[in-house]
Amino acid sequence: MTRVDANRVRLEVCVDSPAGVAAAIKGGANRLELCAALVVGGLTPSRGLMALAAASGRPAYAMIRPRPGDFVYGPADLDVMGDDIDTVRALGLPGVVLGASLPSGELDAAALSILVDRAGGLGMTLHRAIDLTPDPIEALDIAIELGFERVLTSGGARTAVEGAETIAELVDHAQGRISIMAGSGVTPDNAVDLIRQTGVAEVHASCGMAPAVVDQHLLHFGFVQPGARETDAATVMWLAAAIRDIEADQWP
């Protein structure tokens, strides 16, 4: 097991609505990841949601992803992403979540350099584009060289629990130069073991629950999507409490 300082373990909750912002804050999230459309993995949030989060006083990083699908971006995509980064800065949010890939799955260092330059002065998280790379250690080195402060990863697996071994390798390779944040499938039931096994200082979760009632009429017309979930304050609170209860000095 990897030893970590429990006092440094932070919880980031991804949200895509005003209600989600309120639930994450009520539950005790240390930081928010602002998105639209979490059902497709998260897209760039609206200006209004960014403004709401900025006024909340809780740190919030905005996802910069202009469309669903892959992370292979052309010049028009990068122009839109750059303008969205400008909006994040103008609204006073502290950071952005970025990623860009080559068709091979490797990080697109050239595209990322353009986005990083545009984001100068903002905090930066590299998102799970790293999980598509053939060599995550090489990708981590690129992220460090570009100046990212953290990487969100499931260790190249469907969930962070399945990719825990690779996440631990990334933590060891990082040597404190960049934070490794474990995400995908993180729950109150598995977070403590995941933190102990990997040594991550941050975890990322949606803390989502299926709505109690799904309007079948809206579903029929495609105005809601199957699998959509809503941020649940109680789940955030449970996960935050589980992280706080870790006693690092008693681990073997």
Side-chain angles (χ1 to χ4, degrees):
M1 295 183 183
T2 304
R3 188 178 297 276
V4 300
D5 180 355
N7 293 324
R8 295 192 305 109
V9 178
R10 312 282 289 176
L11 170 61
E12 178 180 271
V13 175
C14 53
V15 299
D16 64 358
S17 69
V21 170
I25 293 172
K26 180 179 179 181
N30 300 112
R31 184 176 59 247
L32 313 179
E33 181 192 78
L34 295 179
C35 302
L38 279 174
V39 73
V40 294
L43 303 176
T44 305
S46 70
R47 182 184 180 93
L49 188 63
M50 287 191 247
L52 175 72
S56 75
R58 193 64 52 96
Y61 279 36
M63 172 67 74
I64 305 298
R65 184 182 176 210
R67 53 168 174 74
D70 64 28
F71 308 119
V72 179
Y73 298 125
D77 294 314
L78 294 175
D79 286 344
V80 169
M81 295 166 81
D83 287 346
D84 287 335
I85 291 169
D86 292 345
T87 299
V88 171
R89 181 183 291 104
L91 291 173
L93 291 175
V96 290
V97 182
L98 306 170
S101 303
L102 297 171
S104 63
E106 297 170 298
L107 291 184
D108 186 342
L112 286 172
S113 293
I114 292 170
L115 297 173
V116 165
D117 285 346
R118 195 70 169 259
L122 295 173
M124 296 182 298
T125 300
L126 177 68
H127 63 49
R128 290 184 60 209
I130 193 172
D131 290 324
L132 303 178
T133 61
D135 186 342
I137 296 296
E138 179 182 61
L140 184 62
D141 286 335
I142 292 172
I144 292 169
E145 183 176 351
L146 287 170
F148 282 90
E149 60 184 330
R150 74 179 54 81
V151 170
L152 170 62
T153 180
S154 62
R158 188 178 62 87
T159 69
V161 170
E162 294 172 271
E165 183 176 344
T166 297
I167 296 173
E169 291 173 359
L170 290 170
V171 171
D172 288 341
H173 184 75
Q175 291 292 302
R177 295 173 294 166
I178 190 171
S179 178
I180 308 301
M181 180 165 60
S184 185
V186 177
T187 70
D189 291 325
N190 63 31
V192 171
D193 286 342
L194 179 66
I195 292 165
R196 288 175 169 173
Q197 184 176 353
T198 62
V200 293
E202 302 183 81
V203 294
H204 169 102
S206 66
C207 297
M209 298 286 288
V213 177
V214 177
D215 188 317
Q216 296 299 311
H217 193 57
L218 294 178
L219 187 64
H220 173 73
F221 279 92
F223 296 135
V224 296
Q225 295 297 314
R229 297 162 69 85
E230 299 170 350
T231 310
D232 179 63
T235 303
V236 178
M237 194 174 301
W238 184 14
L239 179 52
I243 292 170
R244 283 196 305 270
D245 286 344
I246 298 172
E247 295 181 8
D249 59 350
Q250 294 185 10
W251 296 351

